[in-house]
Short mmCIF file of all heavy atoms in Angstrom, two decimals:
data_model
loop_
_atom_site.label_atom_id
_atom_site.label_comp_id
_atom_site.label_asym_id
_atom_site.label_seq_id
_atom_site.Cartn_x
_atom_site.Cartn_y
_atom_site.Cartn_z
N TYR A 274 6.44 -10.22 -4.44
CA TYR A 274 6.75 -11.31 -3.45
C TYR A 274 7.60 -12.40 -4.14
O TYR A 274 7.56 -12.56 -5.36
CB TYR A 274 5.44 -11.91 -2.94
CG TYR A 274 4.71 -11.10 -1.93
CD1 TYR A 274 3.68 -10.30 -2.27
CD2 TYR A 274 5.17 -11.05 -0.59
CE1 TYR A 274 2.97 -9.54 -1.34
CE2 TYR A 274 4.52 -10.29 0.33
CZ TYR A 274 3.43 -9.51 -0.02
OH TYR A 274 2.80 -8.76 0.90
N PRO A 275 8.39 -13.15 -3.35
CA PRO A 275 9.21 -14.22 -3.86
C PRO A 275 8.35 -15.20 -4.66
O PRO A 275 7.27 -15.62 -4.15
CB PRO A 275 9.79 -14.87 -2.64
CG PRO A 275 9.77 -13.87 -1.60
CD PRO A 275 8.55 -12.99 -1.86
N GLY A 276 8.74 -15.48 -5.89
CA GLY A 276 7.95 -16.39 -6.67
C GLY A 276 6.77 -15.77 -7.36
O GLY A 276 6.07 -16.45 -8.11
N GLY A 277 6.52 -14.51 -7.12
CA GLY A 277 5.39 -13.82 -7.73
C GLY A 277 5.61 -13.56 -9.21
O GLY A 277 6.75 -13.26 -9.62
N THR A 278 4.52 -13.61 -9.94
CA THR A 278 4.66 -13.39 -11.38
C THR A 278 4.47 -11.94 -11.76
O THR A 278 4.86 -11.45 -12.84
CB THR A 278 3.63 -14.20 -12.18
OG1 THR A 278 2.35 -13.97 -11.65
CG2 THR A 278 3.94 -15.74 -12.02
N LYS A 279 3.81 -11.17 -10.83
CA LYS A 279 3.64 -9.72 -11.10
C LYS A 279 3.66 -9.03 -9.77
O LYS A 279 3.49 -9.60 -8.69
CB LYS A 279 2.29 -9.49 -11.80
CG LYS A 279 1.07 -9.80 -11.03
CD LYS A 279 -0.15 -9.36 -11.76
CE LYS A 279 -1.42 -9.57 -10.87
NZ LYS A 279 -2.61 -9.00 -11.42
N PRO A 280 4.00 -7.69 -9.76
CA PRO A 280 4.13 -6.94 -8.55
C PRO A 280 2.77 -6.86 -7.75
O PRO A 280 1.69 -6.83 -8.38
CB PRO A 280 4.53 -5.53 -8.98
CG PRO A 280 5.07 -5.72 -10.35
CD PRO A 280 4.32 -6.86 -10.96
N SER A 281 2.84 -6.86 -6.40
CA SER A 281 1.67 -6.64 -5.60
C SER A 281 1.32 -5.19 -5.47
O SER A 281 0.15 -4.83 -5.34
CB SER A 281 1.96 -7.26 -4.17
OG SER A 281 1.98 -8.62 -4.25
N ILE A 282 2.40 -4.34 -5.51
CA ILE A 282 2.14 -2.87 -5.56
C ILE A 282 3.06 -2.37 -6.72
O ILE A 282 4.16 -2.82 -6.91
CB ILE A 282 2.42 -2.14 -4.26
CG1 ILE A 282 3.81 -2.46 -3.69
CG2 ILE A 282 1.35 -2.46 -3.27
CD1 ILE A 282 4.17 -1.62 -2.49
N THR A 283 2.51 -1.34 -7.43
CA THR A 283 3.27 -0.83 -8.55
C THR A 283 3.29 0.70 -8.58
O THR A 283 2.22 1.34 -8.49
CB THR A 283 2.59 -1.30 -9.89
OG1 THR A 283 2.49 -2.73 -9.85
CG2 THR A 283 3.37 -0.87 -11.10
N ASP A 284 4.50 1.26 -8.60
CA ASP A 284 4.69 2.76 -8.74
C ASP A 284 3.85 3.54 -7.68
O ASP A 284 3.20 4.54 -8.08
CB ASP A 284 4.31 3.21 -10.16
CG ASP A 284 5.38 2.82 -11.16
OD1 ASP A 284 6.50 2.67 -10.76
OD2 ASP A 284 5.03 2.63 -12.33
N VAL A 285 3.89 3.08 -6.48
CA VAL A 285 3.17 3.82 -5.42
C VAL A 285 3.93 5.02 -4.93
O VAL A 285 5.03 4.85 -4.39
CB VAL A 285 2.81 2.87 -4.27
CG1 VAL A 285 2.20 3.65 -3.08
CG2 VAL A 285 1.86 1.78 -4.67
N SER A 286 3.40 6.20 -5.15
CA SER A 286 4.01 7.42 -4.69
C SER A 286 3.03 8.18 -3.81
O SER A 286 2.04 8.69 -4.32
CB SER A 286 4.48 8.29 -5.81
OG SER A 286 5.44 7.64 -6.62
N ILE A 287 3.22 8.16 -2.48
CA ILE A 287 2.31 8.86 -1.58
C ILE A 287 3.12 9.62 -0.46
O ILE A 287 4.28 9.33 -0.28
CB ILE A 287 1.34 7.86 -0.87
CG1 ILE A 287 2.16 6.79 -0.07
CG2 ILE A 287 0.39 7.21 -1.85
CD1 ILE A 287 1.29 5.96 0.87
N THR A 288 2.44 10.58 0.10
CA THR A 288 2.98 11.34 1.20
C THR A 288 1.95 11.42 2.33
O THR A 288 0.81 11.79 2.06
CB THR A 288 3.44 12.76 0.77
OG1 THR A 288 4.39 12.66 -0.24
CG2 THR A 288 4.01 13.54 1.97
N ILE A 289 2.32 11.02 3.54
CA ILE A 289 1.41 11.14 4.69
C ILE A 289 2.09 12.06 5.69
O ILE A 289 3.25 11.79 6.06
CB ILE A 289 1.09 9.74 5.29
CG1 ILE A 289 0.27 8.92 4.30
CG2 ILE A 289 0.39 9.89 6.63
CD1 ILE A 289 0.07 7.47 4.66
N GLU A 290 1.43 13.11 6.10
CA GLU A 290 1.97 14.12 6.95
C GLU A 290 1.85 13.67 8.42
O GLU A 290 0.97 12.92 8.79
CB GLU A 290 1.23 15.45 6.79
CG GLU A 290 1.25 16.04 5.39
CD GLU A 290 2.64 16.49 4.93
OE1 GLU A 290 3.40 16.92 5.79
OE2 GLU A 290 2.97 16.41 3.69
N LYS A 291 2.80 14.21 9.24
CA LYS A 291 2.76 13.95 10.66
C LYS A 291 1.45 14.42 11.31
O LYS A 291 0.90 15.49 10.96
CB LYS A 291 3.89 14.70 11.34
CG LYS A 291 4.19 14.33 12.76
CD LYS A 291 5.45 14.92 13.27
CE LYS A 291 5.67 14.72 14.74
NZ LYS A 291 5.81 13.30 15.12
N GLY A 292 0.79 13.52 12.07
CA GLY A 292 -0.43 13.87 12.75
C GLY A 292 -1.70 13.58 11.94
O GLY A 292 -2.81 13.77 12.48
N GLU A 293 -1.56 13.11 10.75
CA GLU A 293 -2.73 12.82 9.89
C GLU A 293 -3.40 11.53 10.36
O GLU A 293 -2.81 10.65 10.95
CB GLU A 293 -2.36 12.67 8.44
CG GLU A 293 -2.25 14.00 7.70
CD GLU A 293 -2.09 13.80 6.19
OE1 GLU A 293 -1.62 12.77 5.72
OE2 GLU A 293 -2.46 14.75 5.48
N PHE A 294 -4.74 11.43 10.02
CA PHE A 294 -5.43 10.17 10.15
C PHE A 294 -5.71 9.78 8.72
O PHE A 294 -6.63 10.26 8.09
CB PHE A 294 -6.72 10.37 10.93
CG PHE A 294 -7.38 9.07 11.36
CD1 PHE A 294 -7.66 8.81 12.70
CD2 PHE A 294 -7.79 8.17 10.40
CE1 PHE A 294 -8.27 7.62 13.08
CE2 PHE A 294 -8.39 6.94 10.82
CZ PHE A 294 -8.64 6.69 12.16
N ALA A 295 -4.88 8.85 8.19
CA ALA A 295 -4.98 8.50 6.78
C ALA A 295 -5.67 7.12 6.66
O ALA A 295 -5.42 6.20 7.39
CB ALA A 295 -3.61 8.40 6.14
N LEU A 296 -6.59 7.05 5.73
CA LEU A 296 -7.40 5.84 5.58
C LEU A 296 -6.96 5.29 4.15
O LEU A 296 -7.04 5.98 3.14
CB LEU A 296 -8.87 6.20 5.52
CG LEU A 296 -9.93 5.14 5.34
CD1 LEU A 296 -9.81 4.03 6.39
CD2 LEU A 296 -11.32 5.73 5.41
N ILE A 297 -6.55 3.98 4.17
CA ILE A 297 -6.21 3.34 2.86
C ILE A 297 -7.30 2.29 2.60
O ILE A 297 -7.55 1.43 3.45
CB ILE A 297 -4.85 2.68 2.95
CG1 ILE A 297 -3.72 3.70 3.23
CG2 ILE A 297 -4.49 1.91 1.63
CD1 ILE A 297 -2.32 3.18 3.36
N THR A 298 -7.89 2.33 1.44
CA THR A 298 -8.98 1.39 1.10
C THR A 298 -8.90 1.00 -0.32
O THR A 298 -8.11 1.54 -1.09
CB THR A 298 -10.33 2.01 1.45
OG1 THR A 298 -11.33 1.01 1.46
CG2 THR A 298 -10.72 3.19 0.54
N GLY A 299 -9.78 0.05 -0.69
CA GLY A 299 -9.76 -0.47 -2.05
C GLY A 299 -10.24 -1.88 -2.07
O GLY A 299 -10.41 -2.50 -1.03
N PRO A 300 -10.56 -2.43 -3.28
CA PRO A 300 -11.10 -3.80 -3.31
C PRO A 300 -10.09 -4.80 -2.73
O PRO A 300 -8.90 -4.55 -2.64
CB PRO A 300 -11.23 -4.01 -4.87
CG PRO A 300 -11.23 -2.65 -5.47
CD PRO A 300 -10.41 -1.79 -4.56
N SER A 301 -10.58 -5.97 -2.40
CA SER A 301 -9.73 -7.06 -1.83
C SER A 301 -8.65 -7.41 -2.78
O SER A 301 -8.88 -7.48 -4.00
CB SER A 301 -10.62 -8.27 -1.57
OG SER A 301 -9.88 -9.29 -0.98
N GLY A 302 -7.39 -7.61 -2.25
CA GLY A 302 -6.27 -7.96 -3.10
C GLY A 302 -5.64 -6.82 -3.83
O GLY A 302 -4.84 -7.03 -4.77
N CYS A 303 -5.95 -5.56 -3.42
CA CYS A 303 -5.42 -4.39 -4.23
C CYS A 303 -4.06 -3.95 -3.76
O CYS A 303 -3.47 -3.02 -4.36
CB CYS A 303 -6.42 -3.26 -4.13
SG CYS A 303 -6.49 -2.48 -2.48
N GLY A 304 -3.50 -4.60 -2.69
CA GLY A 304 -2.11 -4.30 -2.32
C GLY A 304 -1.98 -3.47 -1.02
O GLY A 304 -0.95 -3.08 -0.60
N LYS A 305 -3.13 -3.33 -0.28
CA LYS A 305 -3.14 -2.53 0.96
C LYS A 305 -2.26 -3.12 2.02
O LYS A 305 -1.41 -2.42 2.63
CB LYS A 305 -4.58 -2.44 1.49
CG LYS A 305 -5.61 -1.90 0.60
CD LYS A 305 -7.03 -1.73 1.18
CE LYS A 305 -7.66 -3.00 1.59
NZ LYS A 305 -8.20 -3.81 0.48
N THR A 306 -2.35 -4.43 2.24
CA THR A 306 -1.52 -5.11 3.28
C THR A 306 -0.06 -5.05 2.94
O THR A 306 0.80 -4.86 3.76
CB THR A 306 -2.04 -6.52 3.52
OG1 THR A 306 -3.34 -6.47 4.05
CG2 THR A 306 -1.13 -7.29 4.48
N THR A 307 0.23 -5.27 1.68
CA THR A 307 1.64 -5.23 1.20
C THR A 307 2.23 -3.85 1.50
O THR A 307 3.36 -3.73 2.01
CB THR A 307 1.73 -5.51 -0.32
OG1 THR A 307 1.17 -6.83 -0.55
CG2 THR A 307 3.15 -5.42 -0.81
N LEU A 308 1.48 -2.81 1.22
CA LEU A 308 1.98 -1.46 1.51
C LEU A 308 2.22 -1.24 2.97
O LEU A 308 3.25 -0.67 3.36
CB LEU A 308 0.95 -0.42 0.96
CG LEU A 308 1.36 1.06 1.00
CD1 LEU A 308 2.67 1.26 0.20
CD2 LEU A 308 0.28 1.95 0.49
N CYS A 309 1.33 -1.74 3.87
CA CYS A 309 1.56 -1.66 5.29
C CYS A 309 2.86 -2.37 5.70
O CYS A 309 3.58 -1.87 6.63
CB CYS A 309 0.43 -2.32 6.06
SG CYS A 309 -1.04 -1.33 6.07
N ARG A 310 3.15 -3.51 5.11
CA ARG A 310 4.38 -4.23 5.47
C ARG A 310 5.62 -3.46 5.10
O ARG A 310 6.70 -3.68 5.62
CB ARG A 310 4.37 -5.59 4.78
CG ARG A 310 3.37 -6.56 5.42
CD ARG A 310 3.13 -7.82 4.54
NE ARG A 310 2.23 -8.75 5.24
CZ ARG A 310 1.70 -9.80 4.60
NH1 ARG A 310 2.00 -10.06 3.35
NH2 ARG A 310 0.85 -10.55 5.24
N CYS A 311 5.50 -2.59 4.05
CA CYS A 311 6.65 -1.73 3.68
C CYS A 311 6.80 -0.68 4.72
O CYS A 311 7.95 -0.23 4.94
CB CYS A 311 6.37 -1.06 2.30
SG CYS A 311 6.25 -2.20 0.90
#
């Protein structure tokens, strides 16, 4: 993010197939919302 001192997400490589129901989870502040914004 602008002014950020370190990345919010790092080296994320994923594939989601058409028609899947994919669940993204993890501890608070782990980068889930940032990934959604991408």
Side-chain angles (χ1 to χ4, degrees):
Y274 282 101
T278 53
K279 64 173 187 173
S281 289
I282 54 172
T283 306
D284 286 332
V285 172
S286 297
I287 58 169
T288 299
I289 294 173
E290 302 292 328
K291 190 172 175 60
E293 277 190 335
F294 192 121
L296 181 58
I297 300 178
T298 193
S301 183
C303 69
K305 304 183 295 287
T306 294
T307 299
L308 188 56
C309 283
R310 289 170 178 167
C311 294

